Amino acid sequence: MAFLNKLKAVVQAEGARGIRQVLQKEGTKRFAQDLSANLSVDTLDFCETRRYGLPALISAIAVDPVQGLLASGTFKGAIAVTGASETTCYLELEEAVSVKMIAFQPGSPVLVVVDARNAITVFDLIKKQRLFVRNARNIVTCMELLPGTNWLFHGLKDGTVDVFDVYRGQAVPYRIPNLMPEGNRHSMVVALQAHPKDNNQLLIAYNTGVALWNLKQKTIIRVFIFEIPPGAMGGVAVDGMFNSNESRFPHVTVVAWRPDGQGVVIGYDDGCLAFFDLKVEKPVLARTIHEVNVNIPGVKPLVERATAQFVPIYQITWCLNSNKEDTTLIVAGGTSSIDMYGLHVFEFSAKPDYRSPRRQHTLTTESDILDFAVLPRESPWYNSALDPIAVLILTNKGGIQSFGFEAPHPRYISPSCLQLVEPKLVLAKVYTQISPYHYNRLVNGLSRRSPPAHRIPLKGVLVLRSDENRINRDIMVTAHSDSSIRFWEGASFRPLHHLTVELGSLFYKYQSEIVAFEYSVYSQVLCVGFSNGTWVYTHLEGESGLSRQSSVATTIQSSVVSTIPEEPAIERVSETMDKLAISTANESQAKPGQTMAIPFIEPQSPKQPLQQDPASFQEPVPQPRDTKPVQHVQDPSESIEPSISTAPHRSDTKDTLPMPAPEDLEYLVPFEPLDSVPPLRNPIEGETSRGQQQPPEQHPQAQPPRESSPSLPPRPPFVQVSLPNGAEFLSAFKSNTHLGRINKMALSECGLVAVSDEFYSLSITDSQTGKALHVEDLKGTTICIALLYVSFILLYC
């Protein structure tokens, strides 16, 4: 406290100028001490109060249409089970290993997980704990939980299929041997899928072929082998890695039943889709995404193929529509362009024509797809593909994107815990104990906002602790990799979409990223700093009502801003900045490291000559002998057309320039004062104190001395731009005055913004007028001292 009291005394005696000297003298010695030396573990009690988001990227997903739940496994062994609204249950594996596969027991509180160690873990969703953990006999490559039973079929790398009882937690004495031996080595099981109408039939896909197995009789019903004869193009170009005069057998990647159970579709690693009928072992049709009859010799591609090979087919789902007749085939992969991301959708009638589907289109995504799942309306039958209402896509960025099933596939909003994964979370801050008025203003927003976006139709509800919104009133603000700022309700983690600020349109793609941000709950000002040295501030609509001076240039995108008188807070800031001015006006140039503060001058109305009253002038200060007298500005009434594009060019010489017009003068605020500034000086003999001086007898056209200003680039300090979304932050003010990466930002309750960059330059800007009030060079100052210096400047202001 003694150190803080000393700082307070210095502020009262010398103003804010003495803060830096005291911090440099006393702060370095005091901050070198260990402030936590007297703390012990016994005096601290750490516990988890809330958990937001996921600890890692998502690696696997699963849905339960009966309970309306979504499970998301991560690369670090954490699992989030999400239901309706924002309720989330978190589960963890024994070790922090990647979740490889995950599946629900539909209608039951059972969740089965296979991790990277090939351990099978069964969770109880009611007790939120692990029931069983068993290691598989070999590397698990796929699994299928038989509907209506508690048997988990899991394929292994050696080509066999084992069965695990998820209720008893032990292996079942039933094993399917390798049905597709390939020479001296065995084929690997790549996919399993039960018959949509008969649980007695299981489709087993090996990398060399597909076998239909009867579980009761333990016999093979049918084997499906796809051969591309010599001369056929297949999924590989004619001049690709295979010779067209040889037969080819592409490897199987995925398999799916037709909803009526009368046929299957098999995907291959060369991008081919082969449609089979259960009655014959030969394919009915072989095609790619855009070409048909690729297994017939002599058929040429429709267009010249740019690449030698297609992308493999790595996921297929065949859905039965709500009318129980039409079907929809969704395919991931198989495109000839690696730059095209999305799902290929084929719509068939009751009697499908594989050559010409009723409709074919692409559901495009912004990034590549790792996996996807469909969310049925309520039924788990037909392999959980009956009457789907949404499509959930797992991207290679570790996030989930959701779309509506029906065209034009509207975008759905994912649960809150998944929204922190993609776009990637960069920064987060929590503002606690907010007043009821400001809390209700942020949570409820204005009545005229855009309609709410569609959420993933999950109806499952999990037990959550009592609502804490009435007690805590916390708001969390997050920054993401797509240059967006998002607001959340602290207790329930409900997203406040009406407060989302999208700043990605202000820059080119991947040009900059958010490195710092601050938000003031009371002044409703949000400021964001970027890695390229730009920083942006914006006001909450309906709260500021602030006038924008001509120092802020408005672009064509922005609307007309009405002029509203400034609030008295600006006058108080002006008086404070006046106290921070240099004590004498004798120095024509500030010393290195000395604070330069320019007092605030209220601008005059535009397009009028500069009004000057000789009675308001003060006598010039006598110049010391060792300094040169300051030259007076001539011809103050000379007319200059106000134009931002023709701003006066700053000269590097010491020659004086005529006084510019008010508009051009405000263009360089705060370094070019609009009116003459009477310098602070010591009383001399024959003069009264400041404020009681007699007006000098001089010509009305004469001007008082004016100090030289630091050089600035000939551009306005801020540019007003319109934000693309319809949130309550409608416009932003973008600054390009900083040269380096934004380092720290601070924001006061009255709307002052302090920004420092990597070159240790500090500037304090008034967010209400867009004018820089203070400039300081903090080079050579430690981080703690610099932060304290900024804090005291803001408090003193």
Side-chain angles (χ1 to χ4, degrees):
M1 289 299 297
F3 178 57
L4 298 179
N5 292 334
K6 181 181 293 187
L7 282 176
K8 182 178 180 181
V10 169
V11 171
Q12 295 177 353
E14 303 182 10
R17 295 178 302 161
I19 297 178
R20 182 177 180 181
Q21 285 75 10
V22 175
L23 288 175
Q24 289 180 341
K25 182 178 179 180
E26 300 289 341
T28 304
K29 177 179 65 176
R30 295 180 180 271
F31 280 111
Q33 303 175 0
D34 188 4
L35 301 180
S36 60
N38 297 327
L39 297 179
S40 61
V41 181
D42 299 334
T43 60
L44 302 176
D45 185 15
F46 295 99
C47 63
E48 179 181 325
T49 58
R50 297 191 186 104
R51 181 182 297 186
Y52 303 110
L54 296 175
L57 301 181
I58 301 174
S59 59
I61 58 175
V63 295
D64 183 0
V66 178
Q67 303 179 88
L69 299 178
L70 168 65
S72 306
T74 66
F75 285 96
K76 290 188 178 181
I79 304 164
V81 181
T82 309
S85 184
E86 309 303 332
T87 56
T88 304
C89 170
Y90 293 96
L91 307 173
E92 293 183 355
L93 298 176
E94 284 187 338
E95 298 183 10
V97 294
S98 174
V99 175
K100 188 162 57 172
M101 285 166 280
I102 188 170
F104 279 102
Q105 176 70 26
S108 302
V110 175
L111 181 67
V112 183
V113 179
V114 178
D115 57 28
R117 297 184 300 107
N118 300 298
I120 302 175
T121 305
V122 181
F123 287 95
D124 186 350
L125 297 180
I126 297 179
K127 299 180 180 180
K128 302 179 184 179
Q129 63 183 11
R130 295 183 295 269
L131 295 179
F132 310 104
V133 179
R134 300 290 184 269
N135 292 325
R137 184 174 51 85
N138 205 323
I139 298 177
V140 180
T141 56
C142 58
M143 71 175 184
E144 174 76 5
L145 193 58
L146 202 63
T149 68
N150 55 347
W151 281 16
L152 176 68
F153 290 83
H154 51 283
L156 303 178
K157 186 179 179 180
D158 60 0
T160 59
V161 178
D162 288 354
V163 185
F164 182 80
D165 193 333
V166 297
Y167 282 95
R168 298 181 179 180
Q170 60 185 9
V172 177
Y174 185 95
R175 179 177 298 174
I176 302 176
N178 189 353
L179 306 178
M180 286 284 179
E182 184 184 0
N184 296 329
R185 59 189 182 90
H186 297 283
S187 298
M188 179 177 62
V189 181
V190 296
L192 295 171
Q193 192 169 63
H195 194 281
K197 295 183 177 181
D198 184 7
N199 280 350
N200 194 38
Q201 299 182 21
L202 180 66
L203 204 60
I204 306 174
Y206 299 87
N207 54 0
T208 56
V210 179
L212 180 58
W213 178 259
N214 189 301
L215 296 177
K216 183 178 181 180
Q217 299 178 1
K218 297 183 180 180
T219 57
I220 299 176
I221 301 176
R222 192 79 64 192
V223 176
F224 306 100
I225 302 294
F226 178 54
E227 176 185 2
I228 301 177
M233 55 182 178
V236 182
V238 176
D239 297 329
M241 58 183 177
F242 293 107
N243 191 340
S244 60
N245 295 325
E246 296 179 357
S247 296
R248 290 166 287 169
F249 296 89
H251 288 179
V252 179
T253 55
V254 68
V255 64
W257 280 98
R258 201 170 72 184
D260 59 1
Q262 299 299 320
V264 297
V265 58
I266 304 174
Y268 295 88
D269 59 353
D270 63 345
C272 286
L273 290 171
F275 295 88
F276 288 86
D277 194 299
L278 292 184
K279 300 178 181 180
V280 294
E281 295 185 353
K282 297 295 182 180
V284 177
L285 176 72
R287 61 169 300 165
T288 59
I289 298 298
H290 303 289
E291 298 171 346
V292 296
N293 297 325
V294 295
N295 62 334
I296 299 178
V299 176
K300 301 298 182 181
L302 299 178
V303 295
E304 183 179 356
R305 296 181 177 178
T307 58
Q309 190 175 8
F310 285 75
V311 176
I313 304 291
Y314 49 88
Q315 183 61 285
I316 295 177
T317 298
W318 208 332
C319 308
L320 181 63
N321 296 352
S322 57
N323 58 5
K324 306 294 181 63
E325 294 181 357
D326 299 338
T327 61
T328 302
L329 179 64
I330 305 178
V331 180
T335 178
S336 59
S337 176
I338 61 175
D339 297 329
M340 180 184 295
Y341 304 135
L343 298 176
H344 304 281
V345 182
F346 299 86
E347 297 181 4
F348 299 104
S349 58
K351 296 181 179 180
D353 184 3
Y354 304 132
R355 289 179 174 81
S356 56
R358 187 175 59 183
R359 184 184 178 189
Q360 178 181 350
H361 61 280
T362 302
L363 196 163
T364 59
T365 57
E366 300 176 356
S367 55
D368 201 0
I369 299 175
L370 296 182
D371 194 6
F372 75 91
V374 295
L375 177 62
R377 189 176 302 275
E378 57 184 9
S379 175
W381 306 112
Y382 293 93
N383 295 320
S384 296
L386 174 61
D387 189 16
I389 55 179
V391 180
L392 309 181
I393 299 176
L394 176 60
T395 65
N396 62 346
K397 295 182 180 180
I400 294 179
Q401 298 180 6
S402 55
F403 300 88
F405 181 77
E406 299 292 339
H409 306 289
R411 185 73 176 266
Y412 286 164
I413 297 178
S414 302
S416 298
C417 65
L418 307 182
Q419 294 185 35
L420 299 182
V421 180
E422 185 183 3
K424 182 181 178 182
L425 178 65
V426 178
L427 296 172
K429 294 183 180 181
V430 179
Y431 300 90
T432 61
Q433 300 301 326
I434 303 176
S435 64
Y437 169 77
H438 292 93
Y439 180 81
N440 294 331
R441 170 66 182 87
L442 293 174
V443 173
N444 300 327
L446 298 178
S447 58
R448 52 180 182 86
R449 52 173 144 163
S450 57
H454 297 283
R455 297 175 179 270
I456 298 180
L458 298 173
K459 57 181 181 296
V461 178
L462 299 178
V463 178
L464 192 67
R465 56 177 174 271
S466 60
D467 187 12
E468 302 176 0
N469 294 341
R470 301 179 180 179
I471 302 177
N472 294 333
R473 297 192 302 272
D474 299 342
I475 294 294
M476 187 173 73
V477 185
T478 59
H480 298 263
S481 59
D482 61 345
S483 299
S484 65
I485 301 294
R486 305 184 181 186
F487 289 73
W488 314 80
E489 202 173 7
S492 62
F493 199 49
R494 179 171 64 92
L496 306 177
H497 296 290
H498 58 282
L499 298 178
T500 302
V501 181
E502 301 286 349
L503 300 175
S505 60
L506 303 182
F507 308 95
Y508 291 105
K509 191 176 182 180
Y510 308 117
Q511 186 184 23
S512 185
E513 60 179 3
I514 297 177
V515 295
F517 77 91
E518 281 292 342
Y519 177 70
S520 175
V521 178
Y522 298 97
S523 62
Q524 304 292 356
V525 177
L526 172 67
C527 56
V528 184
F530 295 87
S531 58
N532 61 353
T534 303
W535 67 280
V536 176
Y537 74 90
T538 178
H539 295 269
L540 188 66
E541 182 190 5
E543 288 292 335
S544 59
L546 304 172
S547 61
R548 301 302 170 196
Q549 307 299 328
S550 57
S551 59
V552 179
T554 305
T555 61
I556 300 178
Q557 306 175 13
S558 60
S559 59
V560 179
V561 182
S562 60
T563 303
I564 302 176
E566 299 176 356
E567 296 182 354
I570 304 301
E571 299 178 0
R572 296 195 299 269
V573 175
S574 304
E575 296 176 4
T576 303
M577 292 294 101
D578 195 326
K579 296 178 182 180
L580 296 176
I582 305 177
S583 60
T584 61
N586 303 333
E587 302 173 355
S588 59
Q589 186 176 2
K591 298 179 181 180
Q594 184 176 354
T595 302
M596 297 185 62
I598 305 300
F600 174 82
I601 302 299
E602 185 176 1
Q604 299 180 0
S605 59
K607 297 187 178 180
Q608 293 183 2
L610 186 62
Q611 303 294 335
Q612 298 177 357
D613 186 7
S616 63
F617 295 157
Q618 298 180 3
E619 296 181 1
V621 181
Q623 303 291 339
R625 296 180 181 180
D626 54 345
T627 59
K628 296 182 181 181
V630 179
Q631 300 180 4
H632 295 273
V633 179
Q634 302 297 329
D635 300 331
S637 60
E638 182 178 353
S639 176
I640 300 179
E641 285 294 329
S643 175
I644 292 181
S645 60
T646 60
H649 178 68
R650 302 190 59 86
S651 175
D652 296 335
T653 62
K654 296 183 179 180
D655 298 337
T656 58
L657 296 174
M659 175 65 71
E663 293 81 4
D664 294 336
L665 204 54
E666 285 186 77
Y667 175 77
L668 296 176
V669 167
F671 300 97
E672 289 275 348
L674 182 63
D675 296 333
S676 58
V677 181
L680 298 176
R681 61 177 196 170
N682 297 327
I684 59 176
E685 184 179 358
E687 292 184 346
T688 59
S689 61
R690 182 184 177 186
Q692 301 178 359
Q693 298 178 1
Q694 300 295 330
E697 298 181 359
Q698 57 181 352
H699 194 274
Q701 302 294 338
Q703 293 288 333
R706 182 165 58 93
E707 296 182 1
S708 59
S709 302
S711 60
L712 271 181
R715 57 183 177 180
F718 293 95
V719 175
Q720 182 179 356
V721 293
S722 298
L723 298 178
N725 56 353
E728 298 189 12
F729 292 94
L730 296 182
S731 60
F733 297 87
K734 178 181 176 182
S735 171
N736 293 318
T737 56
H738 281 262
L739 300 179
R741 179 187 179 96
I742 300 298
N743 189 13
K744 296 291 183 180
M745 305 187 78
L747 188 60
S748 66
E749 295 182 1
C750 62
L752 297 183
V753 184
V755 181
S756 65
D757 57 15
E758 61 181 346
F759 298 114
Y760 302 98
S761 65
L762 169 68
S763 65
I764 299 180
T765 305
D766 182 8
S767 62
Q768 298 181 359
T769 60
K771 297 179 180 180
L773 305 179
H774 189 79
V775 179
E776 176 74 14
D777 184 12
L778 300 178
K779 190 173 183 180
T781 308
T782 60
I783 296 179
C784 295
I785 294 178
L787 293 177
L788 272 181
Y789 181 74
V790 172
S791 302
F792 273 96
I793 286 290
L794 293 179
L795 291 176
Y796 185 71
C797 295

